[in-house]
Amino acid sequence: MGLITQAALVQAVIDVNAMSHDQKVRLADEVFEHQPNMLASILVLPRMGVSMAQLEVPLHILLVTFQAMKRSGRTWPIISEAVQETCLQRLTARARFNDGLPDQLATKVVKQFCDEHPERYLLAFAYGYLGDHDLLSVRTDAEKFLLLAALNLVDCVAFAAPQP
């Protein structure tokens, strides 16, 4: 089981949803201070065609993720660019593997991945939030980059989790 509990994640969602714009900016500054590469992986998305309106979705996921990391009570190491790249390679490899599978088998593989993910509550939140904003269909390259960046955040958090 992951370090981010369901309760910590729920409280992080409540915290971020209750924040004013200025409070979210301060939280983003805190993300920059403690996890600059995570912030950079989201802020680069407009260069890949992601609109400013779409950018709000992965930014929200990032803020909730960071707040949940804080609420975990652990000190997280800085997630490096190398960790991000490793996780992105694994994420895209899984996507390619699933791409050729029959629908029923692909669904089973995805369910197994989600059930066994080290940070499954965070993963469920990210998928849910992306789905709520109709960003799981990947109709454009911009949506593909947005989806990969958001899901890679979750994998990076799981990969870099501090040891108990």
Side-chain angles (χ1 to χ4, degrees), residues 126-141:
Y127 269 112
Y129 199 77
L130 290 162
D132 288 348
H133 291 86
D134 194 29
L135 291 168
L136 291 174
S137 299
V138 186
R139 295 169 295 259
T140 66
D141 281 346

Side-chain angles (χ1 to χ4, degrees), residues 25-44:
V25 169
R26 283 193 296 279
L27 184 59
D29 288 341
E30 196 175 335
V31 174
F32 177 73
E33 180 181 337
H34 297 283
Q35 293 293 344
N37 297 318
M38 288 176 65
L39 181 60
S41 70
I42 300 303
L43 294 181
V44 73

Side-chain angles (χ1 to χ4, degrees), residues 57-78:
V57 173
L59 270 174
H60 182 79
I61 292 170
L62 172 63
L63 294 177
V64 168
T65 297
F66 184 74
Q67 189 70 10
M69 290 167 69
K70 287 179 12 181
R71 286 196 162 276
S72 76
R74 303 293 174 106
T75 301
W76 294 73
I78 291 178

Side-chain angles (χ1 to χ4, degrees), residues 62-130:
L62 172 63
L63 294 177
V64 168
T65 297
F66 184 74
Q67 189 70 10
M69 290 167 69
K70 287 179 12 181
R71 286 196 162 276
S72 76
R74 303 293 174 106
T75 301
W76 294 73
I78 291 178
I79 294 171
S80 67
E81 288 181 37
V83 166
Q84 288 181 312
E85 184 59 34
T86 298
C87 292
L88 185 59
Q89 287 174 359
R90 291 187 338 198
L91 181 63
T92 55
R94 280 193 308 269
R96 279 191 214 106
F97 174 77
N98 289 356
D99 195 31
L101 296 176
D103 288 344
Q104 187 177 12
L105 185 55
T107 300
K108 185 176 179 180
V109 168
V110 169
K111 183 183 179 333
Q112 180 181 0
F113 167 73
C114 292
D115 289 345
E116 295 174 0
H117 195 278
E119 293 296 345
R120 68 179 191 200
Y121 298 123
L122 187 58
L123 183 65
F125 163 73
Y127 269 112
Y129 199 77
L130 290 162

